[in-house]
Amino acid sequence: MNTKNWFTTLLGAGVVVSGLALTSCEDEFTEADAIAAQDSTLTALKRLDNENAVAENELDAQQELALQMYKDSLAKIGPVISYSVTVVAGGSSNSNARIEGANNAAGATVQLIQGGVEYTETANAAGVATFTDLRIGQAVVTVEAEDHTGVTFVTSLGDANSGLTEDNINTVIPVLPLTVEAGASEVSGTAWAELDLTNDGPEFAEGAVIRATMDVAAIEGAYSTSFSSTAKGGIQSASYTGLVQTATVGENGEYTLIVPNGNGAAGGGIAVDVEFLPFEATQTYVTLQGDSLATVTRNVVFGTDSDIYSAIEDDLDLPAMFLEIGAPTGVASDFALEAELVPTQLSNSIIRIDNRGADYQMGDEIYFVEDEDENDAFIRVESVDENGAITGFEIEDHGAEYSATPSLLADADQEFANGTGATFDIEYVGAYNIKIANEGTGYWQFPLIAVEYTGVGEFEGFFDEEETMELVNKTDYIFGDGEGDDIDVEFRIFNGQIQDDDGNPEDNIVGELLSGTMPKFTVTNPQPTQAVISTDVFSAGDEEFDAFFGTEGAFFFNDDDPGVYELDFEEAGSGYLTAPSVTVKTLGESMGSGATISATVSQGRVVELSITNFGSGYRSASNNVNTIGDIEGAQQAEEGNKTFKPGSKEMNFDYFYNGGGGPG
């Protein structure tokens, strides 16, 4: 009913009533009466409006009921289906279980969904859950049984064109055990990995994960069923939960894995794919640092396709030991040379004409003052020009030796010269004896000695080169060439001191030098160097040391003389005044022990090592990746499809991670 029409009608009626009242009782009708009449009218309208809404709701409910009855009538087209699901407990069942009715999962919860409607039933003692009053079409069924895998499958409940008024359909579905009591297999074992290459055996692979996976296809074959059937009641597809089981290796290397393998038609269990997943860990190994070995760590992943040992390939051949030779004790110091000026002939100096003079004749002699022995040198005039100026001359020492530049006699005192006025520029070159001022201490080799001088450089006993007769500023090396090479000199080292070769401490003169100035000597003392034995000496497979380990790991140097090793120049060091200690060092356990070595020193170098105790237990390399040691039962398990006996708890499956293709 239209509300507005009702309101209009009632309003009109109200107006009529009011008019009548006003006409009959004009003197008594008040404003309050009018308001009261209007309120009464509005109340009546609200009541009618509510009644109208209730009527509409009832009509809607009737229509919804009619629609649902219509849908139900459509759904009942075709046969009525009675459907049962037989749940087979696969732990101890076989292919005849569906016939014998034994070994079924009593109490399993079975949920069925069809047309958006959900039904749930519990399997009876025979493992059967029954659903009635179903219709044709697909249904989705989920089965959950205690201590067993879950499964969800899709099935077809018949054909609408079959002409039947009712039909009975059954599906058999196996579920697999998840506990040993229910029929699963308990597989246990120990897993190892090469976490420490410095010892002879592997370590527990704590944290490694073992995974067992069963394929749905294996269930099909074992229970003579199909998961792709289009037949009435057939399983079109199935999805299981719990077919993948994992276990983690504990700190003691052990793990326990429950395998829901069930029992196949032959009673031997269902094949399970067992795999040890890639295992990431920290690995300890030995590497070369400088001239010795050191233990380091790295992160590795076992069980991959790559060879984890390729990155340390060079380290795999490192010896199991190295030698440390004690530091040298030599401290060379205090050796010193000094120059001693001695009188020398003037002919060693360089003389040039400063003023040629005049009236000189060939053969004139121009004399210098006398030396301390009253001998005097002179200049003999060899040639003059037309004015008697000197153009050429010779120096005649005349037995004189001077300690400084001598002066000429005055012209008035020159008895053997006709001319006058000649003067000469003289660059004096003195003679110096080089003496050892201090023999020093602690020397095992000659120091590097440099001499700075101004002169002709004739240094007798030190080098043979010829110097030109001119004054130059220069530095020469007396011992060595400034780059460490020795020169054969007239010196010797005796008891750590440097002496002249004749050993006469009275003069200790080791040479002489002509120089215009006092020579200066700089001594650079030798510095001791550590003797080092390279690990290459002990590399496995070296022909020279093929008997290096000897019987039962004894420490040998070589076949020819197993107790002696001669050091070469690079290894021998310097500054060894006494024999140093020699220590045979190993890194890691079980690499050998007991070997002792003594050293022989000559001229400050370690020239020979002699083994005084061969020791035992020394192995070929510091890093061992070729064995799993002597751990009992540590056999490499093969991954892949395994068939375990159902219900067993005694299955042992040990595993050794060998590094993904590396040695092992």
Side-chain angles (χ1 to χ4, degrees):
M1 177 180 291
N2 191 296
T3 305
K4 291 182 179 181
N5 292 338
W6 278 98
F7 180 77
T8 303
T9 303
L10 291 173
L11 183 59
V15 170
V16 172
V17 172
S18 299
L20 292 175
L22 291 173
T23 302
S24 59
C25 303
E26 182 177 1
D27 294 337
E28 296 179 1
F29 190 78
T30 66
E31 183 179 359
D33 294 334
I35 292 174
Q38 186 175 359
D39 289 341
S40 177
T41 302
L42 291 174
T43 299
L45 288 174
K46 289 180 180 180
R47 183 175 61 254
L48 291 174
D49 194 32
N50 289 337
E51 292 175 353
N52 185 50
V54 171
E56 287 184 348
N57 289 337
E58 291 179 353
L59 177 60
D60 290 342
Q62 291 175 357
Q63 290 176 341
E64 180 64 26
L65 179 61
L67 178 60
Q68 186 61 46
M69 294 176 63
Y70 174 71
K71 289 180 179 180
D72 289 344
S73 66
L74 291 177
K76 291 184 179 296
I77 297 176
V80 175
I81 303 300
S82 178
Y83 178 59
S84 62
V85 177
T86 301
V87 184
V88 177
S92 57
S93 62
N94 54 49
S95 59
N96 297 321
R98 67 183 69 187
I99 299 173
E100 298 172 354
N103 306 315
N104 294 321
T109 300
V110 182
Q111 179 192 71
L112 183 145
I113 299 176
Q114 186 185 49
V117 181
E118 179 180 312
Y119 308 92
T120 300
E121 297 291 343
T122 300
N124 60 19
V128 179
T130 301
F131 301 89
T132 59
D133 201 25
L134 300 180
R135 296 296 177 265
I136 59 173
Q138 286 188 331
V140 178
V141 181
T142 298
V143 178
E144 293 182 356
E146 185 178 2
D147 297 333
H148 286 75
T149 59
V151 61
T152 297
F153 63 89
V154 178
T155 186
S156 174
L157 299 183
D159 182 1
N161 299 318
S162 64
L164 299 175
T165 58
E166 62 181 31
D167 200 357
N168 296 309
I169 300 173
N170 180 58
T171 299
V172 178
I173 184 73
V175 291
L176 303 182
L178 292 176
T179 64
V180 175
E181 292 72 18
S185 302
E186 181 181 293
V187 180
S188 62
T190 305
W192 293 272
E194 285 281 14
L195 303 184
D196 188 350
L197 304 186
T198 67
N199 57 29
D200 288 332
E203 288 65 46
F204 295 131
E206 181 182 0
V209 176
I210 297 90
R211 181 172 64 190
T213 305
M214 183 179 298
D215 197 298
V216 173
I219 301 175
E220 287 186 278
Y223 293 96
S224 302
T225 187
S226 172
F227 292 149
S228 59
S229 173
T230 58
K232 180 173 60 177
I235 301 173
Q236 297 178 352
S237 63
S239 175
Y240 280 82
T241 60
L243 295 187
V244 179
Q245 297 292 320
T246 61
T248 301
V249 176
E251 63 179 358
N252 60 354
E254 298 177 356
Y255 70 90
T256 299
L257 181 69
I258 301 299
V259 179
N261 60 330
N263 203 351
I270 302 175
V272 179
D273 184 32
V274 178
E275 57 183 331
F276 287 75
L277 302 183
F279 171 48
E280 183 174 359
T282 299
Q283 184 183 68
T284 301
Y285 68 104
V286 175
T287 189
L288 186 64
Q289 289 187 354
D291 296 305
S292 61
L293 305 176
T295 302
V296 295
T297 59
R298 63 172 183 157
N299 292 328
V300 295
V301 179
F302 294 93
T304 62
D305 293 335
S306 61
D307 180 0
I308 66 171
Y309 296 107
S310 60
I312 59 171
E313 181 176 358
D314 294 339
D315 293 321
L316 299 181
D317 291 330
L318 290 176
M321 76 294 296
F322 64 99
L323 303 185
E324 280 191 355
I325 300 180
T329 57
V331 179
S333 64
D334 298 334
F335 175 76
L337 292 176
E338 65 180 14
E340 179 184 64
L341 178 64
V342 296
T344 184
Q345 295 176 343
L346 196 57
S347 59
N348 290 327
S349 298
I350 298 175
I351 302 177
R352 302 180 184 87
I353 298 176
D354 187 38
N355 191 328
R356 297 181 184 275
D359 299 328
Y360 287 97
Q361 297 178 11
M362 291 180 59
D364 282 354
E365 296 177 354
I366 306 172
Y367 278 81
F368 291 90
V369 296
E370 294 178 345
D371 65 6
E372 293 179 355
D373 295 327
E374 297 182 352
N375 296 318
D376 49 5
F378 63 87
I379 294 174
R380 175 179 286 114
V381 177
E382 294 290 330
S383 62
V384 296
D385 62 11
E386 65 275 10
N387 296 318
I390 300 174
T391 58
F393 66 91
E394 289 288 341
I395 300 295
E396 294 291 343
D397 290 310
H398 205 216
E401 293 180 328
Y402 298 96
S403 298
T405 303
S407 58
L408 289 171
L409 294 176
D411 286 341
D413 295 328
Q414 296 289 350
E415 298 179 4
F416 304 101
N418 295 299
T420 60
T423 59
F424 297 87
D425 179 24
I426 301 175
E427 295 185 14
Y428 176 80
V429 175
Y432 296 88
N433 284 334
I434 309 304
K435 301 178 65 175
I436 297 177
N438 193 328
E439 294 179 341
T441 59
Y443 286 91
W444 62 91
Q445 69 184 50
F446 292 124
L448 185 66
I449 303 177
V451 56
E452 182 180 348
Y453 63 95
T454 301
V456 297
E458 294 181 1
F459 200 165
E460 186 177 300
F462 294 99
F463 42 78
D464 298 329
E465 61 183 277
E466 296 181 359
E467 299 290 343
T468 59
M469 292 293 291
E470 60 182 72
L471 297 175
V472 294
N473 291 320
K474 62 183 299 180
T475 298
D476 280 333
Y477 290 99
I478 298 175
F479 296 133
D481 60 1
E483 297 179 356
D485 292 338
D486 289 336
I487 291 179
D488 186 16
V489 296
E490 301 295 327
F491 288 133
R492 73 173 185 175
I493 298 176
F494 182 74
N495 289 334
Q497 294 182 312
I498 300 177
Q499 303 173 348
D500 62 331
D501 196 37
D502 63 10
N504 182 4
E506 296 298 327
D507 56 61
N508 245 355
I509 297 175
V510 296
E512 64 181 32
L513 176 67
L514 298 176
S515 175
T517 59
M518 179 69 72
K520 296 179 180 179
F521 297 94
T522 301
V523 177
T524 302
N525 290 313
Q527 298 300 311
T529 56
Q530 180 78 41
V532 174
I533 303 300
S534 170
T535 56
D536 292 341
V537 172
F538 310 122
S539 294
D542 190 322
E543 293 182 1
E544 184 179 0
F545 300 97
D546 56 2
F548 159 54
F549 301 107
T551 304
E552 297 181 355
F555 183 17
F556 277 51
F557 276 128
N558 53 62
D559 277 333
D560 297 335
D561 192 350
V564 177
Y565 173 70
E566 295 181 359
L567 282 70
D568 61 25
F569 179 78
E570 296 297 328
E571 299 170 336
S574 63
Y576 286 92
L577 304 183
T578 58
S581 63
V582 181
T583 306
V584 182
K585 304 193 73 173
T586 61
L587 297 176
E589 300 175 356
S590 304
M591 289 191 181
S593 62
T596 57
I597 296 177
S598 64
T600 300
V601 170
S602 176
Q603 296 182 351
R605 297 188 177 99
V606 181
V607 295
E608 186 177 274
L609 300 178
S610 300
I611 300 178
T612 54
N613 190 325
F614 293 102
S616 63
Y618 291 96
R619 69 189 199 191
S620 61
S622 290
N623 295 309
N624 184 1
V625 295
N626 298 313
T627 177
I628 58 175
D630 298 326
I631 299 177
E632 184 178 355
Q635 300 299 318
Q636 173 78 45
E638 294 183 2
E639 302 180 72
N641 287 330
K642 298 289 179 182
T643 301
F644 300 105
K645 182 180 179 181
S648 173
K649 298 180 64 175
E650 305 299 329
M651 306 300 294
N652 189 66
F653 197 64
D654 293 331
Y655 189 78
F656 174 56
Y657 280 99
N658 66 0

